[in-house]
Amino acid sequence: MQRILRIIFNRVTFVVLSILAQILTFVIIIDSFSNYLFIFNFLFMLISILVVIYILNSKSDPAYKIAWIIPIMLVPIFGGLFFLMSGGAGLSSRMKKSMTLISDKMKESLSQNERTVQMLLEDNNIAYNQAKYIEKYTMCPVYNNSYTELLPSGESFFESLVNELERAEKYIFLEFFIIEEGLMWNTILDVLIDKVRQGVEVRVIYDDFGGMFKLPLRYNKKLEEMGIKCCVFNPIIPIMSIRLNNRDHRKIVVIDGKVAFTGGVNIADEYINKIEKFGHWRDCAIKIEGDAVWSLTAMFLSVWSYLRKEEEDYSLFMPQENKGEIGCCGFVQPFDDSPLDDEHVSEAVYMNLINQAQKYIYIETPYLIADNKMMIALSLAAKRGVDVRILTPHIPDKKYAFAVTRSNYEELLESGVSIYEYTPGFNHGKTFVVDDTYAVVGTINLDYRSLYLHFECGVWLYNSDSVLQVKENTLNALSVSQKVSLEQVRNVSKVRKIARTVLKIFAPLM
């Protein structure tokens, strides 16, 4: 009985019922004006035609355009209206304007050390060009005075995170897509409460959609009562104009401006394998110390300022400058990516790495839902002799996304790309490593939402010790994974092939 009551009074149930009630009301209104059905049909058809013209002339990816145009043309009476209600492909101009505070504050707070870029230019012109691109379009500088360490599992991230939280003296910032009550969050929460008592300022941001199935309603108020400042990103409003597209998919932890973490790990027990949902959950994160922590600090503060609608003095959170070198080599560049502009930074960073690769490219991703540009780039890299290996899950968390992932196998395998599925379970890692020289570790999936619609972040690495750590970690995973053969892919029923093809068409909307 208690379980039934929990379902009835669950927030998700309320949201779904609210939207269904609005759809029913809409149908009743149309039926009430049945005498004017011709006028309604004509009006909605006209809206759909105008929407299709708008989509064709937009700067969206061609696959995204097709994914919208097909359903609109199949159901022209409601298709165009649904596009307008769902918010289409991205942020409205009004929302972009209101969110310019995020990019403005980033621009104000970050500056590039010219000595660092000169050193990079003298070392490698290709690496310099990549770093300058990231700096130009994200305002995030490249650093050379920073230490990085790959944390090869959710368990190692959790252990390192708790250790660093316990050392906090001034402030703790946490920003996650998902926070779920359980062993992992409760352990962290106990430390945060203790730190609040010690006078440490604690701030938490979580995405409302990411927490909708995981946290009680108004959980942010509960944290505030504990002394933890909390903001919810893009709260879900149960109306038909609901905007689910643009989520805060970032994972950022900053402690005293001295230590930072990012990567694929959210705060929920499956990420540390305390509960099993899809076999063994494989993930990774990266720990940063030194100057590069400031970029992640600025990323957090810029979103915090937007959500709180408050002016913030960023200098209060800037640590003292590091005296001398921190004892590491290589270059580190944390960067963010957002739908606030039409520059798809994450995709460009990945494409640059693919196109510059000479020996190998090892990729880890939970979803291989790449667009045509990236599919061609990966295929051409393999055809010119580059060893391209991609690791995907064997046990999926979303069956429809896994079907689309597998629909891309044949084209890549025919080109010479090697694909592995992580046999023990679900691979959630998001990494690139190229030629023992470059690597990227972050929150960015190879799917349309990560590359075009979400707020994301990553860390670009050049000649850092962590580059080889990423390589070793991926090779370790490949050694326990199943290599996919072309024969396996082709030996699939026609019904399943058709289903995958249909899903692939609508992949940009998933």
Side-chain angles (χ1 to χ4, degrees), residues 217-231:
L217 183 63
R218 298 187 183 90
Y219 187 73
N220 56 316
K221 301 298 182 185
K222 182 178 178 180
L223 293 181
E224 292 275 356
E225 291 171 1
M226 299 176 187
I228 298 170
K229 297 179 181 178
C230 184
C231 287

Side-chain angles (χ1 to χ4, degrees), residues 62-72 505-509:
Y64 204 95
K65 293 179 182 182
I66 292 170
W68 267 114
I69 289 172
I70 289 176
I72 290 173
I505 293 170
F506 298 105
L509 305 181

Side-chain angles (χ1 to χ4, degrees), residues 5-6 46-47 61 131 142 185 273 322 355 386 391 434 446-447 450 470 486:
L5 288 173
R6 278 200 303 268
L46 181 61
I47 290 172
D61 181 84
V142 62
W185 173 238
N273 289 292
N322 293 310
N355 292 331
V386 177
L391 178 66
V434 175
L446 280 183
D447 64 21
S450 266
V470 175
L486 195 55

Side-chain angles (χ1 to χ4, degrees), residues 265-334:
V265 187
N266 281 295
I267 301 181
D269 284 354
E270 65 264 31
Y271 290 83
I272 56 172
N273 289 292
K274 287 300 178 183
I275 60 173
E276 185 176 300
K277 290 187 175 180
F278 314 105
H280 182 268
W281 190 290
R282 187 176 178 282
D283 220 318
C284 69
I286 190 165
K287 177 181 177 181
I288 304 172
E289 297 178 38
D291 293 345
V293 172
W294 180 242
S295 285
L296 288 161
T297 310
M299 288 180 209
F300 178 93
L301 287 171
S302 64
V303 172
W304 181 268
S305 297
Y306 162 73
L307 294 175
R308 286 275 177 162
K309 301 294 187 283
E310 298 173 351
E311 284 294 322
E312 190 98 61
D313 184 358
Y314 285 24
S315 64
L316 297 175
F317 304 96
M318 185 177 289
Q320 293 182 348
E321 290 186 17
N322 293 310
K323 305 298 182 182
E325 297 298 318
I326 203 166
C328 63
C329 63
F331 295 82
V332 181
Q333 191 170 21

Side-chain angles (χ1 to χ4, degrees), residues 116-168:
T116 300
V117 290
Q118 185 60 36
M119 289 170 59
L120 183 56
L121 176 60
E122 292 171 1
D123 185 33
N124 186 319
N125 188 64
I126 293 173
Y128 166 83
N129 287 336
Q130 290 191 29
K132 285 298 291 182
Y133 166 79
I134 295 172
E135 193 270 334
K136 179 178 179 181
Y137 289 100
T138 68
M139 287 81 74
C140 297
V142 62
Y143 303 88
N144 67 304
N145 193 26
S146 298
Y147 166 82
T148 60
E149 177 189 359
L150 183 76
L151 303 171
S153 65
E155 293 88 333
S156 59
F157 163 73
F158 181 40
E159 180 182 3
S160 183
L161 173 61
V162 172
N163 288 337
E164 294 297 341
L165 289 174
E166 290 174 342
R167 296 190 183 102

Side-chain angles (χ1 to χ4, degrees), residues 350 353-364 368 374-391 412-420 431-435 446 474-475 478 483-484:
Y350 285 164
L353 291 174
I354 294 168
N355 292 331
Q356 297 297 336
Q358 296 179 356
K359 297 177 182 178
Y360 75 82
I361 307 165
Y362 298 160
I363 300 170
E364 294 188 32
L368 183 56
M374 190 165 290
M375 291 288 287
I376 291 172
L378 289 167
S379 296
L380 289 177
K383 288 177 179 179
R384 68 174 186 264
V386 177
D387 179 12
V388 182
R389 306 183 195 182
I390 303 174
L391 178 66
L412 294 172
L413 290 170
E414 287 175 343
S415 301
V417 174
S418 298
I419 297 174
Y420 296 78
T431 65
F432 267 59
V433 60
V434 175
D435 295 347
L446 280 183
T474 301
L475 288 174
L478 293 178
K483 188 173 184 180
V484 180

